[in-house]
Amino acid sequence: MSGAQPRTAVIIGAGLAGCLMACYLARAGWRIAVFERRPDPRAKGYVGGRSINLALSVRGIAGLAGAELADLVVQREAIPMRGRMIHPATTGPLVFQPYSANPTDAINSVSRAGLNLTLLHAAAELPGVSFHFDHPCHDVDLEAPAAIMTDPSGAIVRAQADLILGCDGAFSPVRLRLQKTDRFDYSQSYLRHGYKELHIPPAPGGGFVMEPNALHIWPRGGAMMIALPNRDASFTCTLFWPFEGEHAFAALADRAAVEAFFRAHYADAVPLMPALTEDFARNPTSSLVTVRCAPWTHGGSVAVLGDAAHAIVPFYGQGMNCAFEDCRELAACLAHAPRDQAGALAEFERRRKPNADAIADMALENFIEMRDLAGRPDFQYRKKIEQALHKHHGDRLTPQYNLVSFSTVPYAVAQRRGREMDALLRAVAQRVPPPVSFDQAWHAAIVAAAEPLLGSITPIEPAGAVSVRP
Ligand SMILES: Cc1cc2nc3c(=O)[nH]c(=O)nc-3n(C[C@H](O)[C@H](O)[C@H](O)COP(=O)(O)OP(=O)(O)OC[C@H]3O[C@@H](n4cnc5c(N)ncnc54)[C@H](O)[C@@H]3O)c2cc1C
């Protein structure tokens, strides 16, 4: 690497991580070529039609902020969601569960296509970045290193660079090449649940038909539906159901069965979904996979990040957030060791791998919380205690959800806190049963019950957040 020549990178995948990583590297003076198998969305739009949204939280915002894109995305694209709105199975009032004792804490609903386009435009405007759409990558020469693509005419394109980055998603061809190397660990596991998207349009005269500043959940034991708001006042709903069995996709053979099933289990949503049966028949049912692998890097010149390194299930709303945190960390490691790329990649993996494993576990656990526990009174009571204790003790008792969604404390630290808090909350709930009213006396009782247990909570060093600083 000569000091005068800019360093060069090939990025495979112009998705969320690929575009953000291109922004980071271009701003640091690299020359970057991004290869994407799909057509250019600037010309043709994203395939898929209706709005599909994602929850963007503090880690993702920090990742965007490192490339000076946070304000643009949050102000232009985001709808804050301050808690879960639980839709009960039987008729009864909706229950709002705030995400935090701090009313300004919120996760943000953003359009996946809109965000990807914003990042693509931002990267394309930077000097030294070129995009090559309709160029699927099918192999990597790990020694050169070079990525190997086909262009739209079918000709082979070989792109060599100082650094090859696989930002190519859960079924990454770059990772597939690494899988063929000696002692590469790899596992993938599918949930027995899949997902299908449905749609709630705006009210006839415009406006939202449900509370817009909430993530709506219909918890139904082993299955659930969620809905996130869009900027056009519609909602994107997602069913997370088993493929087979009861309350399952395979159980509904025709439109009449779909209609009857929704009337029985999601009654309040049916009048809001005029195209329910058409959407159900037309929209695909997709699978949910967790991918773990190691090492993420090879030879000091090839690395995977984002879903390519750690695809996780979406129940903590963290896959993209984690991918953006990867981008920020990788850029920081490369900037910190400009003459030691191999050392920088090793440091990136050392920092990120335990945290990616932790969020993969927490995402699986949160599925149980959302589909099952969130609707149960004992769980709702523990959440109430958790928030009251958080308010009382402040940072000393920040809950796992807050650490994951509203802080940049490493995921592994948040996971440990979650386990400790869970034990404490169960003990407090046992000692102080649910009251008739949540008054001062109740508050004093839970604070007193928690007092002798505080020693079981490991303090979180403020330095916990340091790892994402550039
Ligand atoms: C139903 C669902 C809901 C989700 N909700 C959330 C949420 O609320 N919050 C959140 O943070 N995360 C969420 N996620 C996770 C999030 O979508 C992913 O973590 C995120 O998209 C990862 O970004 P990425 O860039 O690593 O991969 P991707 O977004 O998958 O991008 C990979 C890119 O690589 C391209 N590519 C693939 N193969 C090739 C090839 N051979 N050659 C060239 N290019 C290639 C693809 O076309 C794509 O453009 C959700 C996921 C699902 C499935």
Short mmCIF file of all heavy atoms in Angstrom, two decimals, residues 12-18 35-38 53-56 112 135-138 167-170 173 195 197 228 238 240 288 305-308 314 317-321 323, ligand 1:
data_model
loop_
_atom_site.label_atom_id
_atom_site.label_comp_id
_atom_site.label_asym_id
_atom_site.label_seq_id
_atom_site.Cartn_x
_atom_site.Cartn_y
_atom_site.Cartn_z
N ILE A 12 -19.50 -5.92 -2.27
CA ILE A 12 -20.54 -6.73 -2.93
C ILE A 12 -21.84 -6.48 -2.18
O ILE A 12 -21.93 -6.75 -0.98
CB ILE A 12 -20.18 -8.23 -2.91
CG1 ILE A 12 -18.79 -8.47 -3.51
CG2 ILE A 12 -21.24 -9.03 -3.68
CD1 ILE A 12 -18.60 -7.96 -4.93
N GLY A 13 -22.83 -5.95 -2.90
CA GLY A 13 -24.14 -5.67 -2.30
C GLY A 13 -24.35 -4.17 -2.10
O GLY A 13 -23.61 -3.54 -1.36
N ALA A 14 -25.36 -3.63 -2.79
CA ALA A 14 -25.72 -2.21 -2.61
C ALA A 14 -26.98 -2.13 -1.76
O ALA A 14 -27.88 -1.32 -2.01
CB ALA A 14 -25.93 -1.54 -3.96
N GLY A 15 -27.06 -2.98 -0.74
CA GLY A 15 -28.17 -2.91 0.21
C GLY A 15 -27.85 -1.89 1.29
O GLY A 15 -27.07 -0.94 1.07
N LEU A 16 -28.41 -2.10 2.46
CA LEU A 16 -28.26 -1.10 3.53
C LEU A 16 -26.81 -1.00 3.99
O LEU A 16 -26.24 0.09 4.06
CB LEU A 16 -29.19 -1.47 4.68
CG LEU A 16 -30.68 -1.48 4.31
CD1 LEU A 16 -31.51 -2.05 5.46
CD2 LEU A 16 -31.16 -0.07 3.97
N ALA A 17 -26.19 -2.13 4.31
CA ALA A 17 -24.81 -2.09 4.80
C ALA A 17 -23.84 -1.67 3.69
O ALA A 17 -22.91 -0.88 3.94
CB ALA A 17 -24.41 -3.46 5.37
N GLY A 18 -24.04 -2.19 2.49
CA GLY A 18 -23.11 -1.89 1.39
C GLY A 18 -23.06 -0.40 1.09
O GLY A 18 -21.98 0.18 0.92
N PHE A 35 -20.76 -3.60 -6.36
CA PHE A 35 -21.42 -4.47 -7.34
C PHE A 35 -22.69 -5.05 -6.73
O PHE A 35 -22.66 -5.59 -5.62
CB PHE A 35 -20.48 -5.61 -7.77
CG PHE A 35 -19.31 -5.12 -8.57
CD1 PHE A 35 -18.12 -4.77 -7.93
CD2 PHE A 35 -19.40 -4.99 -9.94
CE1 PHE A 35 -17.04 -4.29 -8.66
CE2 PHE A 35 -18.32 -4.51 -10.68
CZ PHE A 35 -17.13 -4.16 -10.04
N GLU A 36 -23.79 -4.92 -7.46
CA GLU A 36 -25.11 -5.34 -6.95
C GLU A 36 -25.78 -6.21 -8.02
O GLU A 36 -25.76 -5.87 -9.20
CB GLU A 36 -25.94 -4.09 -6.62
CG GLU A 36 -27.43 -4.31 -6.41
CD GLU A 36 -27.78 -5.22 -5.23
OE1 GLU A 36 -27.23 -5.05 -4.14
OE2 GLU A 36 -28.61 -6.13 -5.46
N ARG A 37 -26.40 -7.30 -7.55
CA ARG A 37 -27.02 -8.19 -8.54
C ARG A 37 -28.32 -7.62 -9.10
O ARG A 37 -28.74 -7.94 -10.20
CB ARG A 37 -27.28 -9.56 -7.92
CG ARG A 37 -28.36 -9.55 -6.90
CD ARG A 37 -28.77 -10.90 -6.38
NE ARG A 37 -29.70 -10.66 -5.29
CZ ARG A 37 -30.07 -11.53 -4.40
NH1 ARG A 37 -29.56 -12.73 -4.43
NH2 ARG A 37 -30.92 -11.23 -3.46
N ARG A 38 -28.98 -6.73 -8.34
CA ARG A 38 -30.28 -6.24 -8.78
C ARG A 38 -30.14 -5.03 -9.70
O ARG A 38 -29.08 -4.41 -9.75
CB ARG A 38 -31.13 -5.86 -7.55
CG ARG A 38 -31.54 -7.09 -6.78
CD ARG A 38 -32.53 -6.76 -5.70
NE ARG A 38 -31.96 -5.98 -4.62
CZ ARG A 38 -32.55 -5.76 -3.46
NH1 ARG A 38 -33.75 -6.25 -3.24
NH2 ARG A 38 -31.96 -5.06 -2.53
N ASN A 53 -41.38 -1.65 5.92
CA ASN A 53 -40.66 -0.76 6.82
C ASN A 53 -39.82 -1.52 7.84
O ASN A 53 -39.98 -2.72 8.05
CB ASN A 53 -41.64 0.20 7.51
CG ASN A 53 -42.89 -0.51 7.96
OD1 ASN A 53 -42.85 -1.69 8.29
ND2 ASN A 53 -43.99 0.19 7.96
N LEU A 54 -38.93 -0.77 8.47
CA LEU A 54 -38.00 -1.32 9.44
C LEU A 54 -37.96 -0.38 10.64
O LEU A 54 -38.18 0.82 10.50
CB LEU A 54 -36.57 -1.34 8.85
CG LEU A 54 -36.34 -2.17 7.59
CD1 LEU A 54 -35.04 -1.75 6.93
CD2 LEU A 54 -36.28 -3.64 7.95
N ALA A 55 -37.64 -0.95 11.80
CA ALA A 55 -37.50 -0.11 12.99
C ALA A 55 -36.02 0.30 13.13
O ALA A 55 -35.14 -0.55 13.25
CB ALA A 55 -37.95 -0.88 14.23
N LEU A 56 -35.80 1.60 13.09
CA LEU A 56 -34.45 2.16 13.22
C LEU A 56 -34.31 2.68 14.64
O LEU A 56 -35.14 3.47 15.10
CB LEU A 56 -34.30 3.31 12.22
CG LEU A 56 -33.03 4.15 12.29
CD1 LEU A 56 -31.82 3.36 11.81
CD2 LEU A 56 -33.19 5.42 11.44
N ARG A 112 -37.88 0.75 4.09
CA ARG A 112 -36.64 0.10 3.67
C ARG A 112 -36.17 0.65 2.32
O ARG A 112 -35.00 0.99 2.14
CB ARG A 112 -36.85 -1.41 3.55
CG ARG A 112 -35.64 -2.16 3.02
CD ARG A 112 -35.99 -3.58 2.64
NE ARG A 112 -36.16 -4.43 3.78
CZ ARG A 112 -35.16 -5.07 4.40
NH1 ARG A 112 -33.93 -4.92 3.99
NH2 ARG A 112 -35.40 -5.84 5.43
N HIS A 135 -25.01 -6.82 -11.73
CA HIS A 135 -23.71 -7.50 -11.72
C HIS A 135 -23.67 -8.50 -10.55
O HIS A 135 -23.10 -8.21 -9.50
CB HIS A 135 -22.56 -6.49 -11.51
CG HIS A 135 -22.09 -5.83 -12.76
ND1 HIS A 135 -22.84 -4.90 -13.42
CD2 HIS A 135 -20.92 -5.97 -13.46
CE1 HIS A 135 -22.15 -4.48 -14.49
NE2 HIS A 135 -20.98 -5.11 -14.53
N PRO A 136 -24.30 -9.66 -10.70
CA PRO A 136 -24.23 -10.63 -9.59
C PRO A 136 -22.80 -11.15 -9.39
O PRO A 136 -22.11 -11.48 -10.35
CB PRO A 136 -25.17 -11.76 -10.04
CG PRO A 136 -25.30 -11.60 -11.51
CD PRO A 136 -25.09 -10.15 -11.83
N CYS A 137 -22.40 -11.20 -8.14
CA CYS A 137 -21.10 -11.78 -7.79
C CYS A 137 -21.30 -13.29 -7.63
O CYS A 137 -22.30 -13.71 -7.03
CB CYS A 137 -20.61 -11.17 -6.48
SG CYS A 137 -19.17 -11.99 -5.78
N HIS A 138 -20.41 -14.08 -8.17
CA HIS A 138 -20.56 -15.52 -7.94
C HIS A 138 -19.33 -16.19 -7.38
O HIS A 138 -19.35 -17.37 -7.06
CB HIS A 138 -21.08 -16.25 -9.18
CG HIS A 138 -20.45 -15.82 -10.44
ND1 HIS A 138 -19.25 -16.28 -10.87
CD2 HIS A 138 -20.87 -14.90 -11.35
CE1 HIS A 138 -18.95 -15.69 -12.01
NE2 HIS A 138 -19.90 -14.84 -12.32
N CYS A 167 -21.09 -7.41 1.65
CA CYS A 167 -22.28 -6.82 2.30
C CYS A 167 -23.48 -7.38 1.55
O CYS A 167 -24.40 -6.65 1.19
CB CYS A 167 -22.25 -5.30 2.18
SG CYS A 167 -20.82 -4.53 2.97
N ASP A 168 -23.44 -8.67 1.29
CA ASP A 168 -24.35 -9.28 0.33
C ASP A 168 -25.41 -10.16 0.98
O ASP A 168 -25.91 -11.10 0.35
CB ASP A 168 -23.55 -10.04 -0.74
CG ASP A 168 -22.39 -10.84 -0.17
OD1 ASP A 168 -22.16 -10.78 1.05
OD2 ASP A 168 -21.71 -11.53 -0.94
N GLY A 169 -25.75 -9.85 2.23
CA GLY A 169 -26.95 -10.41 2.82
C GLY A 169 -26.82 -11.83 3.35
O GLY A 169 -25.75 -12.44 3.35
N ALA A 170 -27.95 -12.35 3.82
CA ALA A 170 -27.98 -13.62 4.55
C ALA A 170 -27.46 -14.79 3.73
O ALA A 170 -26.95 -15.77 4.29
CB ALA A 170 -29.42 -13.90 4.99
N PRO A 173 -22.72 -14.68 -1.23
CA PRO A 173 -21.75 -15.47 -2.00
C PRO A 173 -20.31 -15.27 -1.52
O PRO A 173 -19.49 -16.18 -1.67
CB PRO A 173 -21.92 -14.97 -3.44
CG PRO A 173 -22.66 -13.68 -3.34
CD PRO A 173 -23.43 -13.69 -2.06
N TYR A 195 -42.87 -15.51 7.50
CA TYR A 195 -43.57 -14.22 7.58
C TYR A 195 -44.20 -13.86 6.25
O TYR A 195 -43.75 -14.29 5.19
CB TYR A 195 -42.63 -13.11 8.08
CG TYR A 195 -41.57 -12.67 7.10
CD1 TYR A 195 -41.79 -11.58 6.24
CD2 TYR A 195 -40.36 -13.32 7.02
CE1 TYR A 195 -40.82 -11.16 5.35
CE2 TYR A 195 -39.38 -12.91 6.13
CZ TYR A 195 -39.62 -11.83 5.29
OH TYR A 195 -38.65 -11.43 4.40
N GLU A 197 -46.28 -10.30 4.48
CA GLU A 197 -46.69 -8.91 4.69
C GLU A 197 -48.11 -8.65 4.18
O GLU A 197 -48.52 -9.19 3.15
CB GLU A 197 -45.69 -7.97 4.00
CG GLU A 197 -44.59 -7.57 4.96
CD GLU A 197 -43.19 -7.61 4.40
OE1 GLU A 197 -43.02 -7.97 3.23
OE2 GLU A 197 -42.26 -7.30 5.15
N LEU A 228 -46.46 -1.64 11.50
CA LEU A 228 -45.65 -0.43 11.68
C LEU A 228 -46.19 0.65 10.75
O LEU A 228 -46.58 0.35 9.60
CB LEU A 228 -44.18 -0.68 11.32
CG LEU A 228 -43.25 -1.25 12.39
CD1 LEU A 228 -43.60 -2.70 12.72
CD2 LEU A 228 -41.79 -1.17 11.96
N THR A 238 -47.15 -7.45 9.38
CA THR A 238 -46.41 -8.68 9.10
C THR A 238 -46.95 -9.79 9.99
O THR A 238 -47.03 -9.62 11.21
CB THR A 238 -44.89 -8.51 9.37
OG1 THR A 238 -44.46 -7.31 8.74
CG2 THR A 238 -44.11 -9.68 8.80
N PHE A 240 -46.29 -13.32 11.60
CA PHE A 240 -45.24 -14.28 11.92
C PHE A 240 -45.95 -15.53 12.44
O PHE A 240 -46.39 -15.56 13.60
CB PHE A 240 -44.29 -13.70 12.98
CG PHE A 240 -43.47 -12.54 12.47
CD1 PHE A 240 -43.82 -11.23 12.79
CD2 PHE A 240 -42.36 -12.75 11.67
CE1 PHE A 240 -43.08 -10.16 12.32
CE2 PHE A 240 -41.60 -11.68 11.20
CZ PHE A 240 -41.96 -10.39 11.52
N LEU A 288 -37.36 -17.41 7.92
CA LEU A 288 -36.57 -16.60 8.86
C LEU A 288 -35.37 -17.42 9.33
O LEU A 288 -35.54 -18.50 9.91
CB LEU A 288 -37.44 -16.21 10.06
CG LEU A 288 -38.59 -15.27 9.73
CD1 LEU A 288 -39.63 -15.27 10.84
CD2 LEU A 288 -38.08 -13.85 9.51
N LEU A 305 -19.78 -8.47 6.54
CA LEU A 305 -20.43 -7.72 7.61
C LEU A 305 -21.93 -7.64 7.33
O LEU A 305 -22.38 -8.05 6.26
CB LEU A 305 -19.82 -6.33 7.78
CG LEU A 305 -19.87 -5.35 6.63
CD1 LEU A 305 -19.90 -3.91 7.19
CD2 LEU A 305 -18.61 -5.50 5.78
N GLY A 306 -22.68 -7.12 8.31
CA GLY A 306 -24.14 -7.10 8.17
C GLY A 306 -24.68 -8.53 8.15
O GLY A 306 -24.08 -9.44 8.74
N ASP A 307 -25.80 -8.71 7.44
CA ASP A 307 -26.43 -10.05 7.42
C ASP A 307 -25.50 -11.12 6.87
O ASP A 307 -25.65 -12.30 7.20
CB ASP A 307 -27.71 -10.01 6.56
CG ASP A 307 -28.92 -9.53 7.33
OD1 ASP A 307 -28.74 -8.96 8.43
OD2 ASP A 307 -30.05 -9.71 6.85
N ALA A 308 -24.55 -10.76 6.05
CA ALA A 308 -23.62 -11.75 5.50
C ALA A 308 -22.83 -12.42 6.62
O ALA A 308 -22.48 -13.59 6.54
CB ALA A 308 -22.67 -11.08 4.50
N PRO A 314 -35.99 -11.10 13.02
CA PRO A 314 -36.24 -9.65 13.14
C PRO A 314 -36.94 -9.20 14.42
O PRO A 314 -37.39 -8.06 14.49
CB PRO A 314 -37.13 -9.37 11.93
CG PRO A 314 -37.83 -10.64 11.66
CD PRO A 314 -36.91 -11.75 12.08
N GLY A 317 -35.88 -6.07 16.10
CA GLY A 317 -35.73 -4.95 15.18
C GLY A 317 -34.29 -4.45 15.13
O GLY A 317 -34.03 -3.24 15.14
N GLN A 318 -33.33 -5.38 15.07
CA GLN A 318 -31.94 -4.96 15.19
C GLN A 318 -31.03 -5.36 14.04
O GLN A 318 -29.86 -4.98 14.03
CB GLN A 318 -31.35 -5.50 16.51
CG GLN A 318 -31.83 -4.75 17.73
CD GLN A 318 -31.37 -3.29 17.73
OE1 GLN A 318 -30.21 -2.99 17.46
NE2 GLN A 318 -32.29 -2.39 18.04
N GLY A 319 -31.50 -6.14 13.07
CA GLY A 319 -30.59 -6.61 12.01
C GLY A 319 -29.90 -5.46 11.30
O GLY A 319 -28.67 -5.43 11.16
N MET A 320 -30.69 -4.50 10.85
CA MET A 320 -30.12 -3.34 10.15
C MET A 320 -29.32 -2.47 11.13
O MET A 320 -28.23 -1.97 10.79
CB MET A 320 -31.24 -2.51 9.55
CG MET A 320 -30.85 -1.10 9.19
SD MET A 320 -32.27 -0.08 8.76
CE MET A 320 -33.20 -0.03 10.28
N ASN A 321 -29.85 -2.31 12.33
CA ASN A 321 -29.14 -1.49 13.32
C ASN A 321 -27.76 -2.07 13.60
O ASN A 321 -26.77 -1.35 13.69
CB ASN A 321 -29.97 -1.40 14.60
CG ASN A 321 -31.19 -0.52 14.42
OD1 ASN A 321 -31.07 0.69 14.34
ND2 ASN A 321 -32.36 -1.12 14.30
N ALA A 323 -26.11 -4.01 11.57
CA ALA A 323 -25.30 -3.86 10.34
C ALA A 323 -24.69 -2.45 10.27
O ALA A 323 -23.53 -2.28 9.89
CB ALA A 323 -26.16 -4.14 9.12
C1 LIG B 1 -39.34 -9.37 7.98
C2 LIG B 1 -38.10 -8.64 8.40
C3 LIG B 1 -38.21 -7.53 9.19
C4 LIG B 1 -37.07 -6.84 9.61
N1 LIG B 1 -37.20 -5.77 10.42
C5 LIG B 1 -36.10 -5.12 10.88
C6 LIG B 1 -36.22 -3.99 11.74
O1 LIG B 1 -37.33 -3.58 12.09
N2 LIG B 1 -35.08 -3.36 12.16
C7 LIG B 1 -33.85 -3.81 11.79
O2 LIG B 1 -32.84 -3.21 12.23
N3 LIG B 1 -33.69 -4.87 10.97
C8 LIG B 1 -34.78 -5.53 10.50
N4 LIG B 1 -34.65 -6.59 9.66
C9 LIG B 1 -33.30 -7.03 9.28
C10 LIG B 1 -32.74 -6.22 8.12
O3 LIG B 1 -33.60 -6.31 7.02
C11 LIG B 1 -31.36 -6.74 7.74
O4 LIG B 1 -30.59 -6.98 8.88
C12 LIG B 1 -30.64 -5.76 6.84
O5 LIG B 1 -31.33 -5.64 5.62
C13 LIG B 1 -29.20 -6.21 6.61
O6 LIG B 1 -28.59 -5.37 5.67
P1 LIG B 1 -27.47 -5.94 4.70
O7 LIG B 1 -27.06 -4.81 3.85
O8 LIG B 1 -26.46 -6.68 5.49
O9 LIG B 1 -28.22 -7.04 3.82
P2 LIG B 1 -29.35 -6.82 2.72
O10 LIG B 1 -30.23 -5.70 3.10
O11 LIG B 1 -29.96 -8.16 2.50
O12 LIG B 1 -28.55 -6.38 1.41
C14 LIG B 1 -27.76 -7.30 0.69
C15 LIG B 1 -27.57 -6.78 -0.71
O13 LIG B 1 -26.69 -7.66 -1.40
C16 LIG B 1 -27.22 -7.93 -2.67
N5 LIG B 1 -26.71 -9.22 -3.14
C17 LIG B 1 -27.05 -10.46 -2.68
N6 LIG B 1 -26.39 -11.40 -3.38
C18 LIG B 1 -25.62 -10.74 -4.27
C19 LIG B 1 -24.73 -11.16 -5.30
N7 LIG B 1 -24.53 -12.46 -5.54
N8 LIG B 1 -24.08 -10.23 -6.03
C20 LIG B 1 -24.28 -8.90 -5.80
N9 LIG B 1 -25.15 -8.45 -4.88
C21 LIG B 1 -25.80 -9.35 -4.12
C22 LIG B 1 -28.73 -7.94 -2.44
O14 LIG B 1 -29.44 -7.79 -3.66
C23 LIG B 1 -28.88 -6.75 -1.51
O15 LIG B 1 -29.00 -5.54 -2.20
C24 LIG B 1 -35.78 -7.29 9.21
C25 LIG B 1 -35.67 -8.42 8.39
C26 LIG B 1 -36.81 -9.09 8.00
C27 LIG B 1 -36.66 -10.31 7.14
#
